[in-house]
Amino acid sequence: MNFIVETSARHVHLSQEHLEILFGQGYELTKKKELSQPGQFASEERVTVVGSKGEFKGVSILGPVRKSTQVELSLTDARSAGIAAPVRESGDIAGSGPCKIVGPAGEIDIAEGVIAAKRHIHATPADAQKLGVENGEIVSVKIDTNGRSLVFGDVVVRVSESYALAMHIDTDESNAAGCGREQYGEIVK
């Protein structure tokens, strides 16, 4: 069974507290476009992410707001900005990299929260059953491209009724496999 493989570029998830520091009291994100995962969206707002060696301007904020602020970079991005970003599942930010985030109304220094997202598959329970996998299982996924096909190992399966079937990889991984706009993968045993 094939599924869509989406490239997740650098982005930020903000807590409401941090959103208001960066954009102003009572601020709410402006939805730009829906993402593949139900209820998730890219916002119109952008911030600058600053590390010890460099910065990225115009970084997208994904909504809705979260309990904790998190910055997701590729390992190449993290290295070039001078940020230590461990490979982690989203939400696992304890002891992760620090950075500064700058918005139009203020800035924040986060002591932790910068990660390189572990590649993963979102699946509903029905999708997981069809794929023959369980929540938390680690699988390999083959991606066929013209001249750069790859098998990605260490792909974590995340199962929830609130998900839509899709695999997420970062820009380093997408570039390594030469992925195009509409890319598909399949689990290999």
Side-chain angles (χ1 to χ4, degrees):
M1 179 176 164
N2 287 346
F3 42 83
I4 191 82
V5 177
E6 298 174 324
T7 303
S8 183
R10 70 178 77 110
H11 62 272
V12 174
H13 300 278
L14 293 172
S15 68
Q16 184 64 38
E17 175 191 3
H18 287 163
L19 176 65
E20 291 184 17
I21 292 169
L22 297 171
F23 289 89
Q25 191 67 33
Y27 197 86
E28 293 183 20
L29 292 171
T30 309
K31 192 179 293 186
K32 179 178 179 180
K33 76 172 192 176
E34 297 284 336
L35 300 176
S36 67
Q37 296 307 304
Q40 304 292 306
F41 62 90
S43 73
E44 295 284 352
E45 291 79 10
R46 300 282 186 269
V47 292
T48 299
V49 174
V50 183
S52 64
K53 293 180 2 187
E55 66 182 32
F56 297 107
K57 293 181 183 297
V59 177
S60 181
I61 301 170
L62 301 188
V65 293
R66 290 202 175 172
K67 186 179 82 174
S68 299
T69 294
Q70 175 176 296
V71 177
E72 294 184 32
L73 302 175
S74 71
L75 292 174
T76 299
D77 284 347
R79 199 170 295 119
S80 66
I83 302 170
V87 176
R88 300 270 183 85
E89 284 190 57
S90 183
D92 181 8
I93 61 170
S96 61
C99 76
K100 178 184 288 189
I101 303 172
V102 181
E107 59 185 51
I108 56 171
D109 285 295
I110 58 171
E112 61 186 16
V114 184
I115 65 167
K118 185 174 180 67
R119 49 188 168 248
H120 57 278
I121 299 169
H122 291 279
T124 65
D127 292 328
Q129 187 174 21
K130 288 178 195 167
L131 292 167
V133 295
E134 296 179 4
N135 187 53
E137 187 172 344
I138 305 296
V139 298
S140 294
V141 175
K142 184 173 193 232
I143 298 176
D144 285 317
T145 57
N146 188 12
R148 302 219 50 180
S149 296
L150 276 176
V151 175
F152 285 108
D154 301 317
V155 181
V156 67
V157 177
R158 297 169 58 187
V159 180
S160 170
E161 285 289 354
S162 65
Y163 290 156
L165 183 59
M167 178 175 171
H168 288 159
I169 58 177
D170 70 20
T171 52
D172 286 350
E173 295 162 325
S174 180
N175 289 336
C179 291
R181 275 229 174 268
E182 193 166 306
Q183 192 64 57
Y184 291 87
E186 68 176 317
I187 293 174
V188 291
K189 302 285 181 179

